[in-house]
Amino acid sequence: STQTPYYNEICTMYEMGRVNGTDPNMFSPDNHVTFAQACKLIVDVLGYRNYIEVKYGEDLASYAMMAGELEINKGVSGVDWSSALTAENAVRMLYNAGRTEVFKLVGTDANGNPKYETDGTTLFATSNIYYAEGTMESNGICSIKDDNATMGVYAISGKSYVAPDIDLTTLIGCAVKYFYRDDKTS
């Protein structure tokens, strides 16, 4: 009903074909999400649904197996397919999913089987969010590379990033792993 917790979210995910409930015509918003259910949602969003169904089958265990292949479960501990997902493990899975390549259907082979490919685009990159590593050369106050430092602008391995609302001053000279957003439109 409209009074069900998360009604709008459930309806949106259902209409997108991402969820179909815990039983036919049954959703259980008060139950914990299991590891296998989280795997299903994540690999589905990444575009692997049809590939999984052909390779493994349509049950939740199939999605958990694919999550293992994609290393979405990297760093996740203390779970089996039916166990409730902890917040810590959910965050790890979402982080891993964001760095996973998105799969696209490109047609069918001579036998009518679906063909998929990826061009290396990650889920984060589809939202202009990228991952990088480098050395913090300028922290907006001082620079170890040149004489220029601009408040709110950070330089990491020769690239400048604007971040006026964050304090990274203690990271000067440190190796960093970071996400950044590219808001430029082409």
Side-chain angles (χ1 to χ4, degrees), residues 77-116:
S77 60
V79 297
D80 62 33
W81 294 347
S82 62
S83 63
L85 192 64
T86 65
E88 180 180 345
N89 284 335
V91 168
R92 287 183 192 274
M93 290 176 73
L94 291 172
Y95 168 80
N96 294 338
R99 296 195 55 207
T100 301
E101 293 179 3
V102 178
F103 222 31
K104 294 181 182 162
L105 176 66
V106 294
T108 56
D109 66 16
N111 298 322
N113 297 315
K115 289 175 45 179
Y116 298 90

Side-chain angles (χ1 to χ4, degrees), residues 34-145:
T34 68
F35 173 71
Q37 289 169 336
C39 290
K40 194 245 187 248
L41 286 168
I42 290 170
V43 296
D44 214 8
V45 166
L46 289 167
Y48 289 79
R49 177 193 294 176
N50 292 343
Y51 177 78
I52 292 166
E53 290 175 355
V54 169
K55 186 172 182 177
Y56 295 120
E58 297 182 29
D59 61 349
L60 285 177
S62 301
Y63 289 90
M65 286 189 285
M66 190 70 204
E69 273 188 46
L70 296 171
E71 296 187 350
I72 290 170
N73 60 353
K74 184 178 180 181
V76 174
S77 60
V79 297
D80 62 33
W81 294 347
S82 62
S83 63
L85 192 64
T86 65
E88 180 180 345
N89 284 335
V91 168
R92 287 183 192 274
M93 290 176 73
L94 291 172
Y95 168 80
N96 294 338
R99 296 195 55 207
T100 301
E101 293 179 3
V102 178
F103 222 31
K104 294 181 182 162
L105 176 66
V106 294
T108 56
D109 66 16
N111 298 322
N113 297 315
K115 289 175 45 179
Y116 298 90
E117 65 181 37
T118 179
D119 62 4
T121 302
T122 66
L123 184 59
F124 284 142
T126 63
S127 298
N128 296 325
I129 299 172
Y130 302 93
Y131 171 84
E133 299 179 16
T135 302
M136 178 76 73
E137 296 171 338
S138 176
N139 64 8
I141 297 172
C142 63
S143 172
I144 60 173
K145 184 111 173 149

